[in-house]
Amino acid sequence: MENDVDVDKREEVFHNAVREYIIFMLLFILLYVSSYITICYFKRKADSDDTYAGGEEDAVVYRIALWLCTFTLSVSVGAVLLLPISIISNEVLHHYPKSYYVKWLNSSLIHGLWNMQFAMSNVSLFFFMPFAYFFTESEGFVGYKKGVMARVYESVIVLFLLTLVIVGCVWVVSACFDEDVHKKQRLFDLLSDIWNFYLPYIYAIISFIGVIVLLLCTPVGFARMFTVMGKLVVKPKFLRDIDEEFATLKMQEESIRRKIDCELHHQHSTIANGHATSGSLQKQLEEIEKDKAELEKRKKISPLRRNLGYPLVILALLALTVLCVLSVAHHFFELLVGIKALPVGAKETVLGISSLSALGSVGAVLEIVLILYVMSASIEGFYSLPFFRRLTPEPHNTSMVQTIGNCVVLLILSSALPVLSRIMGITNFDLIGNFGSMDWLGNFYLILTCNAVFATTTTMCLTNKFTGTVRSEVFNRLWTWVSQKEKKQKPQSYTSFKDD
């Protein structure tokens, strides 16, 4: 009888494991396909393998690098969806604890998802992306037979040497700050400690850097989101007169066409100057035609959508930003008083016991919207910074090296998103597995400083966004008034001096 019970338990564990792996595989395939379509939209087009400098060899290298970038981007999207999937799972299990159709949605599945995400993030960040970069830049060792395998050997050796340097530096740093003799001797057990100690340690440092970058980019992104949505959504007629803009573009188009016709009839001008001027005018004409086509599309939008769409979008963005600031300020005071605990320590989270929010399912949905909004604002803010603006991908014109850089940036930001959401108090869902076992999460003053910096910088960016135009106009009026006053005083002083 006991043997039958043991067999039943083993079968149950086996079937649960198989079900989880199937779910992971289906989810990863969905993310991989969507990531591949996204990268193909942005990467530079190649009509055939002959367009590459090295012919078919370069084509194979860039194809492998494309696969690695797609894998990394899918891991990044998975990191963004970690908290939303976990929150939804908790709410579903809370409302339907005994439903047969949601039995597969359990704590084991969510724990496995977090652990697998952590492992794939490490592999992508420390192995796949460096290898992809070295692979695209390699040419093979001198004197060795050329080919794809020669470039593979060079990339692997360079990556191995880089790994030794980084692991050695991390070992020195950990030995300086840790007095435990056994941890200082971990270098001699390198093969097991690279995965168990050094990679999580380096990942903790990188996640901290990612949180700092998010703290800097997200407030800027909040302000930028209003500008971006203002360009995408049609503004009301009292803010933008489309008919007047269309009439202006039409007059400009007619003027440029007359200039082009005049140049065609005046053949006595030099050929070189004629071609240069016609080329520049032709480009201006094409740009005006594109603007006219865009305005024609906007003119066809219904008046109700034109007058209500823009105010509703701006109000929604303003409400989401204010909610982020209020939640962070509330979390700051709870930490200061001692009501809320620090987000440190890997906890055994059991799903479905209670709702994460006091508002129930509505609060959970609001948390998911805020998390996705923070991620969107952080990406927009990152690409708005002057130093990183050159990294912005362009449709059908992004090089492979630039694609690799963007994938690394997105992986760092997305991996730091669950940590930032937890330390900012946007969600109460505990960090699971290695995500919650980072030592710096237990530093009270550091977490308190992050909350204060986020709330302060976001408030300053919003204030500057909505009052910048007014302040600049007041400054210009004052400057004009002072300049006019000085001009009036100078002739009077000169005249009085002559009379004396």
Side-chain angles (χ1 to χ4, degrees), residues 88-371:
I88 292 174
S89 303
N90 182 78
E91 294 300 319
V92 170
L93 290 176
H94 176 63
H95 287 86
Y96 307 99
K98 297 182 180 180
S99 177
Y100 174 79
Y101 299 100
V102 295
K103 281 187 176 181
W104 58 272
L105 198 63
N106 50 28
S107 301
S108 176
L109 177 68
I110 301 302
H111 278 263
L113 184 63
W114 281 72
N115 293 330
M116 188 170 291
Q117 177 63 44
F118 185 83
M120 290 193 298
S121 298
N122 279 277
V123 171
S124 300
L125 187 60
F126 298 119
F127 296 104
F128 283 172
M129 285 296 93
F131 177 81
Y133 175 75
F134 294 142
F135 197 36
T136 54
E137 297 295 321
S138 63
E139 297 179 356
F141 292 112
V142 178
Y144 194 80
K145 184 180 178 180
K146 299 297 182 181
V148 176
M149 292 307 300
R151 302 175 73 164
V152 171
Y153 294 149
E154 180 184 351
S155 303
V156 170
I157 291 175
V158 173
L159 181 59
F160 176 74
L161 295 176
L162 179 64
T163 304
L164 287 181
V165 172
I166 295 177
V167 171
C169 294
V170 173
W171 179 77
V172 172
V173 172
S174 62
C176 291
F177 290 96
D178 200 337
E179 298 179 356
D180 191 356
V181 179
H182 297 290
K183 288 187 178 180
K184 294 181 181 180
Q185 296 176 354
R186 283 179 180 262
L187 184 62
F188 300 101
D189 196 12
L190 186 61
L191 293 178
S192 62
D193 288 344
I194 283 180
W195 185 261
N196 296 324
F197 176 72
Y198 292 108
L199 285 184
Y201 190 83
I202 299 173
Y203 192 83
I205 298 174
I206 293 177
S207 67
F208 177 72
I209 296 174
V211 169
I212 297 300
V213 174
L214 286 177
L215 288 176
L216 297 176
C217 297
T218 307
V220 179
F222 284 154
R224 283 282 303 166
M225 289 294 285
F226 292 93
T227 304
V228 172
M229 296 306 296
K231 294 179 180 179
L232 297 177
V233 183
V234 180
K235 294 182 180 181
K237 195 169 184 179
F238 63 88
L239 290 177
R240 182 181 181 184
D241 193 348
I242 298 179
D243 295 332
E244 184 179 353
E245 293 182 13
F246 188 82
T248 304
L249 289 176
K250 191 173 182 180
M251 292 175 62
Q252 292 178 358
E253 181 184 10
E254 294 175 355
S255 176
I256 293 175
R257 289 187 184 278
R258 283 197 298 268
K259 291 180 180 179
I260 293 176
D261 293 338
C262 290
E263 287 187 357
L264 292 177
H265 287 89
H266 291 80
Q267 297 295 334
H268 61 273
S269 60
T270 58
I271 298 176
N273 292 334
H275 278 299
T277 307
S278 299
S280 61
L281 291 176
Q282 193 67 30
K283 289 181 180 179
Q284 294 179 12
L285 183 61
E286 291 176 357
E287 292 178 357
I288 291 175
E289 288 177 351
K290 290 181 180 179
D291 294 339
K292 280 184 61 180
E294 183 67 24
L295 289 178
E296 286 178 352
K297 291 181 181 179
R298 292 177 177 267
K299 285 178 66 177
K300 296 178 181 178
I301 296 176
S302 62
L304 182 63
R305 180 182 170 187
R306 185 185 306 172
N307 294 324
L308 292 180
Y310 181 79
L312 290 177
V313 169
I314 297 301
L315 288 176
L317 292 178
L318 184 61
L320 290 175
T321 307
V322 171
L323 282 175
C324 284
V325 176
L326 291 178
S327 63
V328 173
H330 181 257
H331 186 255
F332 174 82
F333 286 110
E334 285 185 339
L335 286 174
L336 200 61
V337 175
I339 300 176
K340 189 66 70 71
L342 294 173
V344 68
K347 304 176 181 64
E348 290 294 333
T349 303
V350 180
L351 299 179
I353 296 179
S354 62
S355 181
L356 295 174
S357 176
L359 300 176
S361 300
V362 177
V365 173
L366 186 59
E367 287 182 2
I368 294 174
V369 173
L370 289 179
I371 291 170

Side-chain angles (χ1 to χ4, degrees), residues 391-464:
L391 197 63
T392 305
E394 300 178 4
H396 311 302
N397 194 29
T398 306
S399 64
M400 183 54 64
V401 175
Q402 194 176 0
T403 303
I404 294 172
N406 280 283
C407 290
V408 171
V409 168
L410 293 177
L411 180 60
I412 293 175
L413 295 180
S414 60
S415 299
L417 179 65
V419 182
L420 179 74
S421 302
R422 183 65 182 87
I423 66 177
M424 294 291 110
I426 298 176
T427 180
N428 293 323
F429 195 89
D430 292 326
L431 299 172
I432 299 175
N434 292 315
F435 281 93
S437 59
M438 302 175 186
D439 294 335
W440 62 271
L441 293 175
N443 192 320
F444 174 76
Y445 297 102
L446 182 61
I447 301 300
L448 204 66
T449 303
C450 289
N451 282 264
V453 168
F454 185 86
T456 305
T457 52
T458 303
T459 305
M460 291 175 61
C461 288
L462 286 179
T463 304
N464 182 65

Side-chain angles (χ1 to χ4, degrees), residues 28-45:
F28 181 75
I29 290 174
L30 178 63
L31 295 178
Y32 191 90
V33 171
S34 58
S35 301
Y36 183 80
I37 295 174
T38 303
I39 292 181
C40 289
Y41 173 74
F42 283 101
K43 80 179 185 71
R44 190 170 294 164
K45 293 293 184 181

